[in-house]
Amino acid sequence: MLSNSSKYAIKAVLFLALNASEKKKVMVKDISEPINVPQAYIAKLLQSLVKEKIVSSARGPKGGFYLDETNMDHPIISIVNVIDGEKRLNSCLMSLKKCNEEKPCPLHNELSASRAQILNSLRSKTVKDLVKEVKLGNAFLPI
Amino acid sequence: MLSNSSKYAIKAVLFLALNASEKKKVMVKDISEPINVPQAYIAKLLQSLVKEKIVSSARGPKGGFYLDETNMDHPIISIVNVIDGEKRLNSCLMSLKKCNEEKPCPLHNELSASRAQILNSLRSKTVKDLVKEVKLGNAFLPI
DNA sequence: TCTTGAATATGATTTTTATCATATTTTATT
DNA sequence: AATAAAATATGATAAAAATCATATTCAAGA
Ligand code: FES
Ligand code: FES
């Protein structure tokens, strides 16, 4: 469904949203441990996210990663798109290509509605939305 | 979502259901071309499926693959389980482990219903069910 | 029973994904 | 300006998934 890398990235972004800010940046080594992802690995993922402006960063002493207000408004799918590419969640369930709506495969009619719902949630839910759920105690960050 | 291998396997099974029978077995080379999967690759997948009794086979001249009546009644998920293993569709969307229902991740509440629907369809729909849809012209086999 | 046509078992190779390592660049602090 | 602390760029290695190759086994038909 999602690659390991995407899962890691989502965890990291949410962790930052909850624990960092422009005036309290967090370094990779303080991210990797609580989210349980190897440091060098999450560092690389974060770099990709910074490049696409999904997260913010600053180097040098007092540097680190954080999310600014615009970062918080990104939909979760944008994280997945950066890490996994656009087509991962989009390909036909029976072939490697995307759905052919005129000639749907036998799984399409059965499953496409559910899949569309998932896509839709990932598109509409922002980092801020998920953070709110965690703050309300309705959801938890898995390690 | 599903691995390439699972998709290939599902295509092959459906192809057999539509084009083979105990008295009209089909050889790998006559399966691989129409479903557009390399021969040696689909051969290996079919061998796994035979071992788990998802498809039937016979060797020697006049041999080949086919589906008998019990094969036709297998749910699609059993194909996926043989090829991808049980946990592929089951892991938590944010971590590598399966859902923790008591402490759901922030994506869980949002997405688990849709995911459960998908699982449910794969569990309830049999090979025979999908074949029927194809025969009715409601669905098509992708190459 | 010999030959031939098929699946099967086994394993090698290639590609992709995941993971690790490090030299370079930037910036706050002294 | 010099130092040190951080991200960044880049690339190496390891593991897993996908793909390819082939020798072996089994069964039908001559
Ligand atoms: S055509 Fe296969 S899932 Fe849409
Ligand atoms: S999907 Fe994460 S806890 Fe269920």
Side-chain angles (χ1 to χ4, degrees):
Chain A
M1 193 109 166
L2 302 178
S3 69
N4 284 2
S5 294
S6 275
K7 292 177 177 185
Y8 289 163
I10 294 171
K11 284 209 285 184
V13 168
L14 257 38
F15 179 83
L16 285 172
L18 282 161
N19 298 289
S21 67
E22 178 149 18
K23 50 199 45 138
K24 194 184 129 205
K25 309 186 183 77
V26 178
M27 308 188 283
V28 263
K29 70 181 165 91
D30 296 326
I31 300 172
S32 73
E33 201 219 323
I35 69 175
N36 202 37
V37 177
Q39 172 169 343
Y41 193 0
I42 196 61
K44 201 169 212 178
L45 297 176
L46 283 168
Q47 285 164 29
S48 310
L49 294 172
V50 168
K51 202 175 305 181
E52 301 297 326
K53 302 201 189 306
I54 309 290
V55 323
S56 304
S57 69
R59 340 198 207 192
K62 296 280 172 179
F65 296 91
Y66 64 100
L67 270 62
D68 65 19
E69 275 308 311
T70 46
N71 295 147
M72 297 282 274
D73 287 326
H74 277 121
I76 299 301
I77 194 131
S78 64
I79 301 172
V80 178
N81 285 342
V82 167
I83 306 296
D84 285 347
E86 310 260 343
K87 69 183 180 315
R88 179 166 187 119
L89 293 164
N90 226 342
S91 66
C92 167
L93 289 151
M94 278 191 56
S95 90
L96 286 340
K97 308 188 181 63
K98 60 186 305 200
C99 293
N100 181 342
E101 292 291 343
E102 293 81 46
K103 301 184 79 174
C105 77
L107 286 176
H108 185 97
N109 303 313
E110 198 56 37
L111 302 181
S112 69
S114 316
R115 192 176 47 166
Q117 274 177 24
I118 290 177
L119 261 295
N120 210 47
S121 295
L122 292 174
R123 266 196 278 266
S124 63
K125 291 294 166 182
T126 65
V127 173
K128 192 184 284 177
D129 293 332
L130 297 194
V131 163
K132 188 185 297 175
E133 289 303 302
V134 174
K135 284 187 172 157
L136 288 173
N138 298 332
F140 305 83
L141 288 197
I143 57 152
Chain B
M1 195 108 165
L2 303 178
S3 70
N4 285 1
S5 293
S6 276
K7 292 177 178 186
Y8 290 163
I10 295 172
K11 285 209 284 184
V13 168
L14 257 40
F15 178 83
L16 286 173
L18 282 161
N19 299 288
S21 67
E22 179 149 18
K23 50 197 46 138
K24 191 183 133 207
K25 309 187 183 78
V26 178
M27 308 186 282
V28 261
K29 70 182 165 89
D30 296 325
I31 300 171
S32 73
E33 202 218 321
I35 70 175
N36 200 37
V37 176
Q39 171 168 344
Y41 193 178
I42 196 62
K44 202 169 211 181
L45 296 176
L46 283 168
Q47 285 165 29
S48 310
L49 294 172
V50 167
K51 202 176 306 182
E52 301 298 326
K53 303 201 189 308
I54 309 290
V55 322
S56 304
S57 69
R59 343 195 207 193
K62 296 279 173 182
F65 296 91
Y66 63 100
L67 268 63
D68 65 20
E69 275 308 310
T70 46
N71 295 147
M72 297 283 274
D73 286 326
H74 277 121
I76 299 301
I77 193 126
S78 65
I79 301 172
V80 177
N81 285 341
V82 167
I83 306 295
D84 285 346
E86 311 259 343
K87 68 184 183 313
R88 180 167 186 118
L89 293 163
N90 227 340
S91 67
C92 167
L93 289 151
M94 277 191 59
S95 90
L96 286 339
K97 309 189 180 65
K98 61 188 303 202
C99 292
N100 182 342
E101 292 290 343
E102 292 82 46
K103 301 184 79 174
C105 77
L107 287 176
H108 185 97
N109 303 313
E110 198 56 38
L111 302 181
S112 69
S114 316
R115 193 176 44 167
Q117 275 179 23
I118 290 176
L119 260 295
N120 210 46
S121 296
L122 293 174
R123 267 197 276 267
S124 63
K125 291 293 165 182
T126 65
V127 173
K128 192 186 282 178
D129 293 331
L130 297 194
V131 164
K132 188 187 297 175
E133 289 303 302
V134 174
K135 283 186 171 156
L136 289 172
N138 298 332
F140 305 83
L141 288 198
I143 58 156

